[in-house]
Amino acid sequence: MKKLLLQLDGSTRPSVFDRVVAFDGGADEVMSYGGVTPDSVRDLVHGAIFTRGPKDLRHTAIFIGGTDMAAGERLLAAVQQAFFGPMRVSVMLDANGSNTTAVAAVAKIGQAIGPLAGRRVVVTAGSGPVGTRAAGLLAKAGAEVTVTSRRAGDGALAARIRERFGGAVGELPLAGAARAAEVLDGAEVLLNAGPAGVCLVERGAWADRQGLRVVGDVNAVPPVGIEGVEATDDGATRHGAAAFGALAIGKLKMKIHKACVARLFDRNDLVLDAETIAGVADELGV
Amino acid sequence: MKKLLLQLDGSTRPSVFDRVVAFDGGADEVMSYGGVTPDSVRDLVHGAIFTRGPKDLRHTAIFIGGTDMAAGERLLAAVQQAFFGPMRVSVMLDANGSNTTAVAAVAKIGQAIGPLAGRRVVVTAGSGPVGTRAAGLLAKAGAEVTVTSRRAGDGALAARIRERFGGAVGELPLAGAARAAEVLDGAEVLLNAGPAGVCLVERGAWADRQGLRVVGDVNAVPPVGIEGVEATDDGATRHGAAAFGALAIGKLKMKIHKACVARLFDRNDLVLDAETIAGVADELGV
Amino acid sequence: MKKLLLQLDGSTRPSVFDRVVAFDGGADEVMSYGGVTPDSVRDLVHGAIFTRGPKDLRHTAIFIGGTDMAAGERLLAAVQQAFFGPMRVSVMLDANGSNTTAVAAVAKIGQAIGPLAGRRVVVTAGSGPVGTRAAGLLAKAGAEVTVTSRRAGDGALAARIRERFGGAVGELPLAGAARAAEVLDGAEVLLNAGPAGVCLVERGAWADRQGLRVVGDVNAVPPVGIEGVEATDDGATRHGAAAFGALAIGKLKMKIHKACVARLFDRNDLVLDAETIAGVADELGV
């Protein structure tokens, strides 16, 4: 019986990236749908759950992608509402790769620094999809997390992350890359989760800073997000800190993404979102 | 050489249900197209028939689905017009699962009651796609069929079914579930072909009715179509009749659907519509 | 690792023809996209090149089809712009089958007449996608080529072909099928590259014409493009010339098309356009 992955993508054209990784993760066939909205989910999901018998449902699974994580979350909710008691299949949410990227970044940090409990961590661009998830996973692991964004300050962003993940999360505004030092007070870890091609932390703000032990950056497109980190850095020492660049994080992200696709077909009731994807990464020993 | 199934679907998004069953029926790959209209059929069909040599054409086939059986029939006509002498492939029409569901329901009735010749059968909601086909197949097998619908009465519905399938078909209006007894006079078989979640026959209209030997219902969504029939009934005695619920009929429908997909690849000139799908079911010994 | 072909098609519905040939050429999976415009290419290509490691990229490739060769050329340019240094995959352009058809027609001519250097060749409908490519390939091989079209005469068409392919190309207007003799002066080869169902050369214009040794026609739909040539002719003598009809050319075209798809997966940096497809045909010994 073929392992079938139903790809639900909010973008007009379903992601080629996600299709390729789906195949490489072990799906035999990918049924791709673009322009998927919450109200169109039910029929698609029913087609997936009412075709194979209960004992065979683990051979069908759903992947929710797209470029918009908020839209992806709405699709995930609609998918779960469309399930019918035991008639359900495993589902993974990874819009824009945000979950697997955040999990990979957090795993790299953990490799470098050991247990995260009590560590002071700053996540720049913590309002984006990778940032909120990375911050949440770090907080859930016991770190004291500060997220920054241009508009942070009223506490709404930090509250939103705490509500989902628990733990200790605060927020600070970051006015510009040159003023990044202001948010790094006491930080042991700096993770940039900002968009491609935007430098959020100038070299002078973090280089050889006392107490700073790890820097990570998910932006591979020059200029990178943390000046002085190379995209290929995979633990190299840069200005006194262990540095992880976007390509090293991305390589681990791919491994996690593929492993998650494979897991979807182990059973029919998995829901792979940030926390459970982190669990898969733990099991991989990454 | 891969067994390729071209899925033509009138709905915007090609049915996931049909894709999954296509794979489970033995297609190696499914090429899915949504929003297909009769005027767009020719190019799609030519792509299917002008690529492989005549002796290999049996490895390509066409499945016509969608939610609208009338639209499906127009697509089937357009597909057959696009064939070019011996350059043709096998094709199956099963919009909304109507053909396979009707065949499965009729097969269940035959299992319970034996030869259908001369049996008096009532098909409620006989104007819908499942109902017209089930009524037609029953009439073709020699039953005396009465179809009901809210608007029946002028004979047009019965005439349409007779024109396609031959046999004896009459029609009666059914004003409501509470008045269903009025249409059951002399009936040995009652089949409800009505839509999901609509009760068309109240319990009092059929329970322990003299002469009534079989009741079948294709509606799995509560309230079921014939009050007192359980969706899982597979020949259980209910109020004096052998009862077949929608899940039992649906299970057989899936078996027939998959067998039909497999047959498409045996040769390149099959046309699987209601009557020929019934023939496949006969060969399966269901 | 599966061989994945990304099909980019400018038409709303990606070509079934191209999908079937892709499978028959050796692709394990075809990821099909319709309505593709140059500005939508980048994300699709990035999904193809940023998923697998450099040494595995040869297992992914791109096929550009559609019904419009000019649009296909724009897509090819956009695909190549989206590559990122060594992060690239092999790509084939064959919108409307024009490249493989032109190569097959030229190969048939070469089989019949030997080396093309110095041969005088007339290509009718030389302004179309098959015609420009066939004329260019013939010129590149050293033939003295005259292309005709209804509007030819100012030299722009011939100049465009020379610019791309080099060699000797002239042009003449062709006022109608009855006046085709006017353009055949001194011709050893006549190739019709005109559209389906249009006769461009009447029998009287070419039959038993002194010096004319080969006639080829890519139009399979009656009336064929060169009156007196049968679609199935594969070197048969017709009125003193070796004749090649559209079905014989088409059969070779299919062989070349499939071989090209297979080649795409040999390495990750092939660009299969007219000239390189001709190279594949040479290697096949066709």
Side-chain angles (χ1 to χ4, degrees):
Chain A
M1 182 167 276
K2 280 182 187 249
K3 285 182 272 187
L4 302 179
L5 189 67
L6 173 60
Q7 179 189 16
L8 304 181
D9 198 310
S11 306
T12 308
R13 294 186 174 82
S15 159
V16 170
F17 186 100
D18 291 338
R19 289 175 89 160
V20 174
V21 182
F23 285 121
D24 288 347
D28 291 314
E29 300 292 340
V30 183
M31 303 180 290
S32 300
Y33 290 82
V36 178
T37 52
D39 64 299
S40 59
V41 160
R42 203 185 65 151
D43 282 354
L44 297 168
V45 171
H46 282 185
I49 65 177
F50 290 135
T51 33
R52 291 170 158 183
K55 73 177 200 323
D56 291 323
L57 279 176
R58 69 187 174 87
H59 300 296
T60 308
I62 298 174
F63 179 91
I64 301 171
T67 55
D68 179 341
M69 187 39 117
E73 289 176 326
R74 289 190 291 272
L75 293 182
L76 177 58
V79 164
Q80 292 184 287
Q81 282 190 320
F83 290 154
F84 206 82
M87 304 307 280
R88 57 185 292 141
V89 297
S90 288
V91 54
M92 174 177 179
L93 169 63
D94 199 28
N96 224 11
S98 303
N99 275 330
T100 48
T101 301
V103 167
V106 171
K108 286 289 184 191
I109 292 167
Q111 284 170 18
I113 205 171
L116 293 159
R119 305 287 184 191
R120 299 191 65 170
V121 178
V122 170
V123 179
T124 53
S127 57
V130 173
T132 54
R133 278 162 173 73
L137 292 168
L138 290 160
K140 188 162 179 279
E144 291 175 27
V145 180
T146 301
V147 292
T148 79
S149 85
R150 265 167 303 181
R151 282 181 292 274
D154 65 358
L157 169 59
R160 183 157 59 87
I161 297 171
R162 285 196 307 267
E163 191 181 342
R164 161 75 182 266
F165 292 92
V169 184
E171 70 180 64
L172 285 173
L174 176 55
R179 300 181 57 182
E182 299 170 11
V183 301
L184 290 176
D185 194 39
E188 294 168 89
V189 176
L190 164 63
L191 174 64
N192 170 54
V198 178
C199 176
L200 284 176
V201 183
E202 287 189 356
R203 190 187 309 253
W206 69 275
D208 300 310
R209 186 180 184 89
Q210 199 180 356
L212 187 66
R213 296 177 51 193
V214 182
V215 291
D217 186 1
V218 304
N219 163 20
V221 180
V224 296
I226 301 175
E227 190 186 9
V229 173
E230 297 289 319
T232 51
D233 282 347
D234 192 16
T237 301
R238 298 274 175 200
H239 304 298
F244 296 92
L247 294 183
I249 293 171
K251 193 174 174 184
L252 178 56
K253 170 240 171 345
M254 293 301 290
K255 185 178 173 182
I256 293 168
H257 188 160
K258 280 185 256 186
C260 285
V261 171
R263 294 294 171 94
L264 290 174
F265 297 106
D266 285 345
R267 43 196 286 188
N268 78 321
D269 60 357
L270 274 181
V271 179
L272 292 182
D273 199 345
E275 301 88 334
T276 38
I277 291 171
V280 172
D282 282 347
E283 291 169 37
L284 288 176
V286 297
Chain B
M1 182 166 279
K2 281 182 187 249
K3 285 182 272 187
L4 303 179
L5 189 67
L6 173 60
Q7 178 189 15
L8 305 181
D9 197 310
S11 305
T12 309
R13 294 185 174 83
S15 160
V16 171
F17 186 101
D18 291 339
R19 289 174 89 160
V20 174
V21 182
F23 286 121
D24 288 348
D28 292 315
E29 300 291 340
V30 183
M31 303 181 290
S32 300
Y33 291 82
V36 178
T37 52
D39 64 299
S40 59
V41 159
R42 202 185 66 152
D43 282 353
L44 298 168
V45 171
H46 282 185
I49 64 178
F50 290 134
T51 33
R52 291 170 158 182
K55 75 178 196 324
D56 291 324
L57 278 177
R58 68 186 174 87
H59 300 295
T60 308
I62 298 173
F63 179 90
I64 301 170
T67 55
D68 179 341
M69 185 41 115
E73 288 176 325
R74 289 190 292 272
L75 293 182
L76 176 59
V79 164
Q80 292 184 288
Q81 282 189 319
F83 290 153
F84 206 82
M87 303 307 278
R88 55 184 295 139
V89 297
S90 288
V91 55
M92 174 177 178
L93 170 63
D94 199 29
N96 224 10
S98 302
N99 275 331
T100 48
T101 301
V103 167
V106 171
K108 285 290 184 189
I109 292 167
Q111 284 170 17
I113 205 170
L116 291 159
R119 304 288 184 189
R120 300 191 66 171
V121 178
V122 171
V123 179
T124 52
S127 56
V130 174
T132 53
R133 278 161 173 74
L137 292 169
L138 289 161
K140 187 162 180 280
E144 293 175 28
V145 180
T146 301
V147 291
T148 79
S149 85
R150 265 167 303 182
R151 283 181 291 273
D154 66 357
L157 169 58
R160 182 157 59 86
I161 297 171
R162 285 195 306 268
E163 192 181 341
R164 161 76 182 265
F165 292 92
V169 185
E171 72 180 61
L172 285 174
L174 176 55
R179 299 180 58 181
E182 298 170 11
V183 302
L184 290 177
D185 195 40
E188 294 168 90
V189 176
L190 164 62
L191 174 65
N192 171 54
V198 177
C199 176
L200 284 176
V201 183
E202 287 190 356
R203 190 187 309 254
W206 69 274
D208 300 310
R209 187 181 184 90
Q210 199 180 357
L212 187 65
R213 294 177 53 193
V214 183
V215 292
D217 186 1
V218 305
N219 164 19
V221 179
V224 296
I226 302 175
E227 190 186 10
V229 173
E230 297 287 320
T232 53
D233 282 345
D234 192 15
T237 302
R238 298 275 175 199
H239 304 298
F244 296 92
L247 294 184
I249 293 171
K251 193 173 172 184
L252 178 56
K253 169 240 172 344
M254 293 299 292
K255 184 177 173 183
I256 293 167
H257 188 160
K258 280 185 255 185
C260 286
V261 170
R263 293 295 171 93
L264 290 173
F265 298 105
D266 285 346
R267 43 198 285 187
N268 78 321
D269 60 357
L270 273 182
V271 178
L272 291 182
D273 199 344
E275 301 88 335
T276 38
I277 291 172
V280 172
D282 282 348
E283 291 169 36
L284 288 176
V286 299
Chain C
M1 182 165 278
K2 281 182 186 249
K3 285 181 271 186
L4 302 179
L5 189 67
L6 174 60
Q7 179 189 14
L8 304 181
D9 197 310
S11 305
T12 308
R13 294 187 173 80
S15 160
V16 171
F17 186 101
D18 291 338
R19 290 174 90 160
V20 174
V21 183
F23 286 121
D24 288 347
D28 292 314
E29 301 291 340
V30 184
M31 303 181 291
S32 300
Y33 290 81
V36 178
T37 52
D39 64 300
S40 59
V41 159
R42 203 186 64 151
D43 282 354
L44 297 168
V45 171
H46 282 185
I49 64 177
F50 290 135
T51 35
R52 292 170 156 182
K55 74 178 198 322
D56 292 323
L57 278 177
R58 69 185 174 87
H59 300 294
T60 308
I62 296 173
F63 179 90
I64 300 170
T67 55
D68 178 342
M69 187 41 119
E73 289 176 324
R74 289 190 292 271
L75 293 182
L76 177 59
V79 164
Q80 292 184 288
Q81 281 189 318
F83 290 153
F84 205 83
M87 304 307 279
R88 56 184 295 141
V89 297
S90 288
V91 55
M92 173 177 180
L93 169 63
D94 199 28
N96 224 10
S98 303
N99 275 331
T100 48
T101 300
V103 168
V106 172
K108 285 290 183 191
I109 293 166
Q111 284 169 18
I113 205 170
L116 292 159
R119 304 288 182 189
R120 300 192 65 171
V121 178
V122 171
V123 179
T124 53
S127 57
V130 173
T132 53
R133 278 162 173 73
L137 292 168
L138 289 160
K140 188 163 179 280
E144 293 175 25
V145 180
T146 302
V147 291
T148 80
S149 85
R150 265 167 303 183
R151 284 179 292 273
D154 66 358
L157 169 60
R160 182 157 59 87
I161 297 171
R162 284 195 307 268
E163 190 180 341
R164 161 75 183 265
F165 293 92
V169 184
E171 70 179 63
L172 285 173
L174 176 55
R179 301 182 55 183
E182 298 171 11
V183 301
L184 290 176
D185 195 40
E188 294 168 271
V189 176
L190 164 63
L191 173 65
N192 171 53
V198 178
C199 175
L200 284 177
V201 183
E202 286 190 357
R203 191 187 308 255
W206 69 274
D208 299 310
R209 186 180 184 91
Q210 198 178 359
L212 187 64
R213 294 178 51 194
V214 183
V215 291
D217 186 1
V218 305
N219 164 19
V221 179
V224 296
I226 301 175
E227 191 184 11
V229 173
E230 298 288 319
T232 52
D233 282 347
D234 192 16
T237 302
R238 300 273 175 199
H239 305 298
F244 296 92
L247 294 184
I249 293 171
K251 192 173 174 184
L252 178 56
K253 168 241 173 343
M254 292 301 291
K255 184 178 174 182
I256 294 167
H257 187 160
K258 280 185 257 185
C260 286
V261 170
R263 293 295 171 94
L264 290 173
F265 298 105
D266 285 345
R267 43 198 283 188
N268 78 322
D269 60 356
L270 272 182
V271 178
L272 291 183
D273 199 345
E275 301 87 335
T276 38
I277 291 172
V280 172
D282 282 347
E283 290 169 37
L284 288 177
V286 299

